[in-house]
């Protein structure tokens, strides 16, 4: 059934689609921007769960590092005051040696050594913290990528055929790596908070009014950054579909897999021009935003600079008036400057964190999407063997957003041990029927029974484990030849005898035997040592996966489309021999293939038009006979 998505997950039919190009951008109100901060606790929790040791180490070391700036600055004040005091004493000693021997400089040397130790300590701590954050960020990106893949694997096939879900998944993938820096930013802000408190205490002791002047100077910059960070997210959100298209064009226009057809049809210029136009549109939108941000940012920075120098003038005046010492002047002016920079960084950083929290919503909202096709709480065991078979009772299904039913009013029985063929023109509903049978979809109408019980009563993983299905658009895995066969039953990947037997059954062993490294040969041109195969050779590898599974139900969707006539005949002769005692479904446009089936179902427009054996359907002189004659005429 059609489903819609919002920032929080699936919300039912007819809901508005946020974030599409040309629609109002998401999360524009101040309230919504602050609401996005709800994503920070689960983010920090996931960081903590990634590595508690590294997280604790980073927090402790940052706390120590946060106190060093004010300590260093205060020691600097003491050094200046000590130098002023020594200057006031006068040159009472004839030489430097006499000065050193007198012990007058001992306190100054101690202060200089202390400042040196603080500077070295700050540098060492900074490098250690940077190393820890780097390791923690990489661990987080890896663990979140795994979590993303695991969650995507749990979603329904229907979800992956939804364009809005694809946009959400694309944004989520980008955030896995893009938000790793948020950890350093959050911990850095916590460190700055401790430093700010220590500086603020120093200013409050000398001149409390400086804090008020400081805040007045910083408010405009904070509000400006907060606004533009939210706008940046909105721009990126709106252009997600176009960015996905850019990625697709880049992949199509510069990949070995597509090079043959792209060159043959002369598509390079078309793809390049399409990429150029689309990328320029995205660039123009980003440029307009960047100019606005730079202009207002410059204005707000000027306001902050005016506030700083106003405070600096006041501090200098009070020093000349005798209220402050030269050391106090240095400490206060430097403290004010550092505090202003820290507060500006903190406020701007907070707005950036709020902006990144919006991006985190892309990640966490993807995790909030729940599959609808699930196993029941107490599933029935899969029948071993299948006794009665599968029964379709008035089954109907319509793809999301589609007006036409893919299949409707399907009622038939797939008997245990029967070979059933599905015939029909493109779009008749053959592949849809197979997807329903393997519970990649659930019917919108009617039900499917297995040995008298609905498919939904069985454990989903066990059900699919007992179905060996090869679709016409099978995947060409850029893995070894052995692994390409083993994906049919990946838990038996180390069972080399089983892999070899499956390859023998599908005649893929002849293909693999010609490869330089046999079963260990990497397939495909993605990697340097890879060897590509012809379409028919790939198809034999794919068919081997069905045999590898050794399931009681075999489904082959156009399994010989890329094979020559001789190979097709040999594959199906072997299939007929090896499918004894198994239930099988074959989809094919070739009548030389389907005539071997026990029964044939002819589909037209998603409905069953005819049922019978090859001989019965020819004798009926209906739609099947018409299609058979059309194909046979092509060989005369």
């Amino acid at each position: 059934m059609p489903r819609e998505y919002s920032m929080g997950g699936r919300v039912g039919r007819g809901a508005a689609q946020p974030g599409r190009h040309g629609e109002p951008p998401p999360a524009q109100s101040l309230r919504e921007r602050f609401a996005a901060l709800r994503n920070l606790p689960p983010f920090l929790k996931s960081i903590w769960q990634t590595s508690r040791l590294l997280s604790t180490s980073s927090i402790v070391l940052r706390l120590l590092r946060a106190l060093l700036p004010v300590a260093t600055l205060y020691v600097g004040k003491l050094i200046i005051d000590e130098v002023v005091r020594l200057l006031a004493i006068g040159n009472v000693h004839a030489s430097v040696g006499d000065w050193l021997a007198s012990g007058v400089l001992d306190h100054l040397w101690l202060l200089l050594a202390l400042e040196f130790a603080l500077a070295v300590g700050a540098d060492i701590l900074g490098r250690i913290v940077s190393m820890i954050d780097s390791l923690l960020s990489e661990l987080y990106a890896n663990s979140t990528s795994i979590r993303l893949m695991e969650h995507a694997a749990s979603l329904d096939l229907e979800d992956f055929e939804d364009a809005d879900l694809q946009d959400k998944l694309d944004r989520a993938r980008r955030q896995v790596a893009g938000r790793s820096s948020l950890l350093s930013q959050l911990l850095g802000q916590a460190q700055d908070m401790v430093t700010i408190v220590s500086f603020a205490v120093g200013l409050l002791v000398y001149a409390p009014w400086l804090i008020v002047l400081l805040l007045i100077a910083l408010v405009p910059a904070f509000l400006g950054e907060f606004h533009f960070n939210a706008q940046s997210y909105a721009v990126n959100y709106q252009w997600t579909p176009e960015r996905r298209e850019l990625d697709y064009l880049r992949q199509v226009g510069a990949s070995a897999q597509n090079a043959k057809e792209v060159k043959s049809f002369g598509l390079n210029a078309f793809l390049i021009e399409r990429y150029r136009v689309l990328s320029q549109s995205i660039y123009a939108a980003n440029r307009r935003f960047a100019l606005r941000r730079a202009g207002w940012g410059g204005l707000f920075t000027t306001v902050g600079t005016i506030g700083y120098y106003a405070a600096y003038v006041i501090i200098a005046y009070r020093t000349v008036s005798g209220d402050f010492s030269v050391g106090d002047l240095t400490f206060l002016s430097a403290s004010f400057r550092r505090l202003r920079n820290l507060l500006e960084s903190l406020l701007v950083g907070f707005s950036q964190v709020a902006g990144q929290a919006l991006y985190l919503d892309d990640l966490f909202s993807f995790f909030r999407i729940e599959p609808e096709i699930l196993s029941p709480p107490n599933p029935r065991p899969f029948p071993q063997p299948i006794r009665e078979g599968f029964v379709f009772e008035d089954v109907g299904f319509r793809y999301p957003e589609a007006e036409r039913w893919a299949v409707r009013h399907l009622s038939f029985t797939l008997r245990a041990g029967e070979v059933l063929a599905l015939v029909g023109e493109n779009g008749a509903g053959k592949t849809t029927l197979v997807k329903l049978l393997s519970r990649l979809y659930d019917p919108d109408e009617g039900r499917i029974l297995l040995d008298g019980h609905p498919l939904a009563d069985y454990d989903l993983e066990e059900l699919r484990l007992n179905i060996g299905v090869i679709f016409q658009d099978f995947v060409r895995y850029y893995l070894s030849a052995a692994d390409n066969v083993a994906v049919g039953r990946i838990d038996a990947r180390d069972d080399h005898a089983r892999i070899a037997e499956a390859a023998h059954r599908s005649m893929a062993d002849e293909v693999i035997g010609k490869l330089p490294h046999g079963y260990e040969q990497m397939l495909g041109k993605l990697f340097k040592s890879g060897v590509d195969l012809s379409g028919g050779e790939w198809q034999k590898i794919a068919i081997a996966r069905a045999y590898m599974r050794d399931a009681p139900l075999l489904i082959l969707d156009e399994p010989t489309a890329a094979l020559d006539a001789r190979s097709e005949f040999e594959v199906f002769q072997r299939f007929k021999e090896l499918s004894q005692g198994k239930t099988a479904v074959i989809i094919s446009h070739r009548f030389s293939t389907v005539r071997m089936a026990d029964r044939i179902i002819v589909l037209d427009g998603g409905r069953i038009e005819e049922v019978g054996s090859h001989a019965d359907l020819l004798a009926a002189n209906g739609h099947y006979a018409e299609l058979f004659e059309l194909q046979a005429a092509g060989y005369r």
Side-chain angles (χ1 to χ4, degrees), residues 180-245:
S180 296
S181 61
L182 180 57
L183 167 65
S184 297
Q185 190 168 9
L186 282 172
L187 293 177
Q189 286 191 308
Q191 174 183 317
D192 288 346
M193 282 289 292
V194 176
T195 306
I196 285 170
V197 170
S198 60
F199 273 127
V201 170
L203 287 181
L204 286 172
V205 170
Y206 286 95
W209 46 268
L210 289 177
I211 301 295
V212 178
L213 183 60
L214 187 64
L215 293 176
I216 293 175
L218 289 175
V219 167
F222 166 68
L223 294 178
E225 281 297 314
F226 193 81
H227 170 75
F228 282 112
N229 274 308
Q231 287 293 313
S232 175
Y233 169 74
V235 170
N236 282 309
Y237 189 101
Q238 286 179 284
W239 287 90
T240 298
E242 287 77 7
R243 290 187 185 279
R244 279 207 301 124
E245 185 176 350

Side-chain angles (χ1 to χ4, degrees), residues 19-32:
R20 300 294 296 172
H21 180 54
E23 296 183 10
Q28 289 301 300
S29 72
L30 188 64
R31 179 181 177 183
E32 288 174 316

Side-chain angles (χ1 to χ4, degrees), residues 529-602:
S529 60
V531 173
D532 206 2
L533 304 178
S534 68
E537 290 172 331
W538 271 113
Q539 199 144 31
K540 289 179 180 179
I541 296 284
I543 295 172
R545 297 168 190 166
Y547 289 122
M548 180 71 184
R549 174 143 292 198
D550 194 26
L553 173 61
L554 295 177
I555 301 175
L556 302 181
D557 184 356
E558 291 291 346
T560 59
L563 298 181
D564 56 54
R566 181 182 296 276
S567 295
E568 178 191 21
F569 175 78
E570 293 173 349
V571 165
F572 272 104
Q573 280 297 109
R574 187 165 295 184
F575 175 79
K576 192 169 184 179
E577 296 169 4
L578 297 172
S579 62
Q580 294 295 325
K582 297 182 182 295
T583 307
V585 177
I586 300 173
I587 299 175
S588 180
H589 286 96
R590 297 186 183 182
F591 288 90
S592 58
T593 298
V594 301
R595 66 190 304 168
M596 62 161 283
D598 299 316
R599 277 192 309 150
I600 301 169
I601 292 181
V602 182

Side-chain angles (χ1 to χ4, degrees), residues 479-490:
L479 303 170
S480 69
D483 284 344
N484 262 277
V485 176
V487 294
R489 188 64 179 263
I490 198 63

